[in-house]
Amino acid sequence: MSQASAAKQRPGSTRTLLKGVDGAGTVRRTVLPGGLRVVTETLPTVRSATFGIWVGVGSRDETPVLNGATHYLEHLLFKGTARRSALEISAALDAVGGEMNAFTAKENTCYYARVLDADLPLAIDVVCDMLTGSLIRTEDVEAERGVILEEMAMAEDDPGDVVHDLFAKVIYGSTPLGRPILGTQETVNGLTRDQIAGFFKRRYRPEQLVVAAAGNLDHRKVVQQVEAAFAEVLAKSAAAPAEVRRGRKPVRTSGQVEVLNRATEQAHLVLGVPGVPRHDERRWALGVLNAALGGGMSSRLFQEVREKRGLAYSVYSYSSSYADTGLFGVYAGCQPKRVEEVLRICREELAKVVAEGITEEELRRAIGQISGSTVLGMEDTGSLMNRIGKAELCYGSHLSVDDMLAKISGVTLEDVQQVARDVLGAYRPSLALIGPITDRRAAKLVDLLA
């Protein structure tokens, strides 16, 4: 296990964080002058490589006026640089059969490309060019505004997706974590080129970036190419490091109900509470609890809601962690007339694990499920790039697969029951619901949460 953080590493130096077998699985980190970190995992036996640049900024770092700016900027970096047009950016990767994309989350953004190992230099050149040379032109801002509004409209047509944004709003209110990643129509229509470019200049600084690559690669060559691509940026930033502040601490609520009355065929609901922060050691036990409660076809919720009673097609639980808080939720989609029954069962199952924990058999099954999915999820270079990039950005240290499996298998029945009490028992559940539900009926749902 590597606990050596980049903050303790001398700029210009390279460290081996995890040592693999015959070179496979070796993770190295180089810290460049200016604070830019380059982390790689070497896999000599594969024929592909994935290159990504992680940025420590997400929607929670926006002011209310700038809500949606991070996601807007993600779109704009694909629109052209001083060296390439938007077409040339996409054509470069298409020409070698590569895949390129990006995503924006609450606390980070990632730009990445997956290619054959021989084409890794091209992927590095294109992605680095996007991060260092994007023009962010006024005409592109205006053209992309329509695209983003269409993306928002598409998302609005999927109530199973919208209900999760509604749940975040119920738990965190008007604080940054409670606002949607895409922004709102009002904020997206109000964003100007100068606002977005200013946000880029303040936030996309070397000390906030992590370059991550995994596959059949040479760490030294990756570092050399990245250093050359960022040379001008690093020279400007070395003398003036920026203070980057996280969005204000969220206000947690409990027992809240918010209903969007829509003429949908199904009612979509999320019932849940605030969870644990990403650095909280209880996250391992909470992961096991999540698997046992609603993480698979043998889980309690799936069995009780779907298998035994046929009340829903999709029902599951999930846990999300942020820097200083988290979410734990139960989702179900059901016929509107069955909302009360589904809610009652979900409420009962949550209460049971708080009072009684889980069984030895459920513990064994949950640990096996998480362990298997953890290993299977690391079978491609894209997954590995995501793992080391996010670990470096969010934790500053890296766990080997064996270390992770040991953390999971070390969870006990007592650990699970304690985290159930600490999380599920600490708050009265809140509810987000989308469907054809009248105001009078919505008011009665509050009683089901008592």
Side-chain angles (χ1 to χ4, degrees):
M1 176 174 63
S2 170
Q3 294 295 345
S5 69
K8 299 178 181 179
Q9 186 172 333
R10 179 174 54 84
S13 66
T14 298
R15 285 185 179 176
T16 298
L17 305 178
L18 298 173
K19 197 165 183 64
V21 179
D22 296 329
T26 297
V27 177
R28 296 182 178 90
R29 179 210 290 133
T30 296
V31 179
L32 297 175
L36 179 65
R37 290 166 278 172
V38 182
V39 184
T40 69
E41 181 163 355
T42 307
L43 294 165
T45 59
V46 301
R47 291 295 308 275
S48 68
T50 301
F51 177 84
I53 299 180
W54 290 75
V55 191
V57 61
S59 60
R60 77 168 299 185
D61 301 303
E62 302 162 346
T63 64
V65 171
L66 291 177
N67 184 210
T70 311
H71 174 256
Y72 209 138
L73 183 57
E74 175 208 313
H75 279 241
L76 291 173
L77 294 199
F78 284 86
K79 298 298 288 183
T81 72
R83 293 170 50 202
R84 293 180 174 91
S85 66
L87 174 59
E88 288 170 334
I89 288 174
S90 57
L93 273 296
D94 285 347
V96 296
E99 305 166 1
M100 184 170 62
N101 212 330
F103 60 83
T104 304
K106 295 282 188 180
E107 294 185 326
N108 51 66
T109 311
C110 180
Y111 304 81
Y112 63 93
R114 182 169 180 258
V115 292
L116 296 178
D117 52 5
D119 297 314
L120 179 59
L122 172 65
I124 296 175
D125 186 42
V126 172
V127 178
C128 288
D129 186 29
M130 289 167 54
L131 269 289
T132 60
S134 284
L135 300 175
I136 313 181
R137 295 169 296 207
T138 299
E139 55 266 36
D140 293 330
V141 172
E142 294 307 317
E144 205 63 20
R145 195 187 311 275
V147 174
I148 293 171
L149 291 172
E150 288 297 330
E151 182 180 357
M152 294 170 65
M154 181 176 68
E156 283 293 318
D157 282 341
D158 183 359
D161 188 25
V162 177
V163 73
H164 292 286
D165 279 345
L166 184 62
F167 179 61
K169 178 184 175 184
V170 169
I171 296 291
Y172 296 125
S174 60
T175 60
L177 279 177
R179 296 196 290 263
I181 292 173
L182 299 185
T184 66
Q185 285 197 5
E186 181 182 6
T187 60
V188 168
N189 277 318
L191 287 169
T192 67
R193 185 268 170 194
D194 288 345
Q195 285 177 316
I196 297 171
F199 188 79
F200 174 76
K201 184 178 180 180
R202 292 191 304 274
R203 293 291 185 170
Y204 277 55
R205 296 181 58 87
E207 62 270 26
Q208 285 294 104
L209 304 181
V210 168
V211 172
N216 188 13
L217 54 81
D218 182 295
H219 177 83
R220 182 179 56 85
K221 291 181 179 179
V222 172
V223 171
Q224 288 174 345
Q225 192 174 353
V226 170
E227 188 171 20
F230 276 86
E232 186 176 344
V233 175
L234 293 174
K236 290 179 180 178
S237 67
E243 179 184 0
V244 179
R245 296 180 179 178
R246 185 98 270 172
R248 65 188 175 94
K249 191 171 183 178
V251 177
R252 303 179 178 105
T253 62
S254 64
Q256 303 297 306
V257 175
E258 184 145 352
V259 177
L260 287 182
N261 190 345
R262 289 188 180 179
T264 56
E265 292 296 318
Q266 275 193 316
H268 301 264
L269 62 92
V270 177
L271 177 73
V273 295
V276 302
R278 72 165 72 100
H279 290 279
D280 196 317
E281 282 298 306
R282 295 174 298 173
R283 69 186 186 275
W284 304 103
L286 187 60
V288 172
L289 172 63
N290 177 56
L293 184 64
M297 295 176 65
S298 63
S299 66
R300 290 190 180 188
L301 288 170
F302 192 94
Q303 289 296 311
E304 293 296 327
V305 175
R306 174 169 164 166
E307 292 298 286
K308 293 183 181 179
R309 297 175 175 85
L311 296 174
Y313 174 76
S314 179
V315 56
Y316 59 85
S317 63
Y318 66 94
S319 178
S320 301
S321 291
Y322 307 115
D324 50 5
T325 185
L327 288 175
F328 189 92
V330 172
Y331 166 85
C334 63
Q335 292 184 24
K337 66 181 180 182
R338 293 176 165 177
V339 165
E340 286 82 0
E341 188 176 2
V342 170
L343 269 178
R344 178 182 57 78
I345 295 169
C346 292
R347 187 74 178 91
E348 288 174 355
E349 292 304 319
L350 292 177
K352 282 181 184 178
V353 295
V354 171
E356 305 168 7
I358 63 176
T359 67
E360 188 74 47
E361 168 61 21
E362 287 175 316
L363 177 71
R364 183 193 62 77
R365 196 163 59 232
I367 288 176
Q369 178 187 342
I370 300 173
S371 299
S373 62
T374 297
V375 174
L376 292 175
M378 297 177 182
E379 290 292 301
D380 66 82
T381 60
S383 298
L384 291 171
M385 185 282 292
N386 279 321
R387 179 172 72 93
I388 62 173
K390 192 168 185 179
E392 182 62 39
L393 185 68
C394 297
Y395 296 96
S397 60
H398 299 259
L399 291 174
S400 68
V401 175
D402 289 340
D403 290 331
M404 294 176 67
L405 295 179
K407 290 279 190 181
I408 296 165
S409 63
V411 173
T412 66
L413 287 173
E414 292 73 21
D415 294 334
V416 174
Q417 182 161 19
Q418 187 58 55
V419 80
R421 291 169 177 166
D422 293 346
V423 176
L424 303 181
Y427 300 91
R428 194 153 58 96
S430 293
L431 172 67
L433 175 61
I434 297 177
I437 308 296
T438 64
D439 291 344
R440 181 177 179 183
R441 190 177 171 198
K444 293 180 178 179
L445 294 176
V446 178
D447 296 334
L448 291 176
L449 303 183

